Amino acid sequence: MTDSDALPTPLQRLDVEIGSVLAIVAHPDDLEYGAAAAVAAWTAAGHSVAYLLVTRGEAGIDGMPPDEAARVREDEQRASAAVVGVERVEFLDHADGIIEYGLPLRRDLAAAIRRRRPDTLLLFNHREGWGMPGSFNSPDHRNVGWAALEAAGDAGNRWVFRDLVVRQGLMPHKVKAALVAGSPQATHGLDVTATVDKAIESLRAHSAYLEGLGDHPMSDPELVRVFLEQAGLRLGVGAAVGFEVFRF
């Protein structure tokens, strides 16, 4: 058997008690390339999910000025979130394309975790690539992903970012787990066979962004179906979202 004939590594069934969820990602559209199928499954099951976008995606549409793009993409993200049952969507206003990893970002994310007090974080790939030779993940994704994992620890330690308690009254909060979608190191999967169409519909809500991509393959919302079915093969179901799992 050649390497090309080898079967993909199987995924284990996700064994995390989800509870309430806070999704933290860099840009509008990050969640919609697959993870939204999990969100739709969770909200349908009665779980509370909120979105936190670190930017407004103002640098994401080449033919649209940033101020206009920020307004358009914020509206599209809210509409997209509503498709999968999410009403609470917050934006932090870090600069799209040049998000800086560091203590200010960790502090903002720790504050958001303490405000929302979720059981589970839903994050996006923080690894250098996507698991394919020569693939490269954007600095924004990597910086937000790593900072969010570290902020999960910061949020539970009253002696880190002490001003959050003193000045804002944000008491420590311990997150139970972080689930990283899109990771090439995914080990677990969630069956989302019933919510694939919802995920595709949620991506279609980003119409201006998709139009701005032109003929790029990522402009076709049906690509989400392909991603989810590929993960489904690894889990032994029709469609799945794969996760790298961190427990705290």
Side-chain angles (χ1 to χ4, degrees):
M1 177 181 291
T2 65
D3 290 342
S4 61
D5 295 324
L7 294 175
T9 304
L11 295 172
Q12 303 174 50
R13 292 269 180 171
L14 186 65
D15 58 353
V16 171
E17 293 185 11
I18 298 300
S20 60
V21 179
L22 176 62
I24 301 175
V25 294
H27 316 109
D29 82 81
D30 284 351
L31 289 164
E32 282 65 55
Y33 282 98
V39 173
W42 291 332
T43 58
H47 297 283
S48 171
V49 182
Y51 284 3
L52 179 70
L53 288 298
V54 174
T55 79
R56 297 177 189 270
E58 67 274 11
I61 303 177
D62 183 68
M64 188 178 291
D67 288 348
E68 181 182 356
R71 291 191 297 272
V72 168
R73 299 200 70 196
E74 180 178 347
D75 288 344
E76 290 186 344
Q77 182 62 78
R78 293 187 187 281
S80 175
V83 169
V84 292
V86 176
E87 298 179 356
R88 292 174 293 177
V89 182
E90 181 183 354
F91 298 84
L92 288 182
D93 274 333
H94 285 252
D96 185 13
I98 52 172
I99 300 173
E100 292 186 282
Y101 172 84
L103 294 179
L105 178 58
R106 277 175 52 187
R107 182 186 182 281
D108 284 349
L109 299 183
I113 292 168
R114 291 187 184 190
R115 278 196 307 274
R116 294 296 185 189
R117 310 187 80 74
D119 299 301
T120 302
L121 296 181
L122 172 59
L123 308 179
F124 196 48
N125 183 21
H126 58 281
R127 301 297 180 182
E128 291 186 359
W130 301 95
M132 300 167 287
S135 64
F136 179 74
N137 193 10
S138 82
D140 278 3
H141 295 157
R142 290 185 279 121
N143 289 343
V144 170
W146 278 117
L149 286 171
E150 292 170 349
D154 299 334
N157 188 332
R158 71 176 58 251
W159 305 121
V160 176
F161 303 126
R162 282 173 270 177
D163 63 305
L164 294 180
V165 174
V166 176
R167 297 181 182 178
Q168 299 186 38
L170 295 173
M171 300 304 292
H173 174 73
K174 183 174 176 59
V175 171
K176 296 179 181 178
L179 309 180
V180 182
S183 172
Q185 298 186 30
T187 55
H188 293 71
L190 175 71
D191 185 351
V192 295
T193 305
T195 55
V196 172
D197 289 339
K198 279 287 186 183
I200 293 171
E201 183 184 350
S202 74
L203 179 56
R204 288 192 192 282
H206 293 273
S207 56
Y209 173 72
L210 296 175
E211 182 179 353
L213 290 176
D215 61 359
H216 193 283
M218 299 295 282
S219 68
D220 182 4
E222 284 295 323
L223 189 62
V224 173
R225 190 183 306 276
V226 175
F227 293 156
L228 297 176
E229 289 178 350
Q230 288 175 342
L233 289 174
R234 298 174 62 190
L235 189 62
V237 298
V241 176
F243 296 110
E244 184 175 359
V245 178
F246 294 85
R247 305 174 196 268
F248 300 97

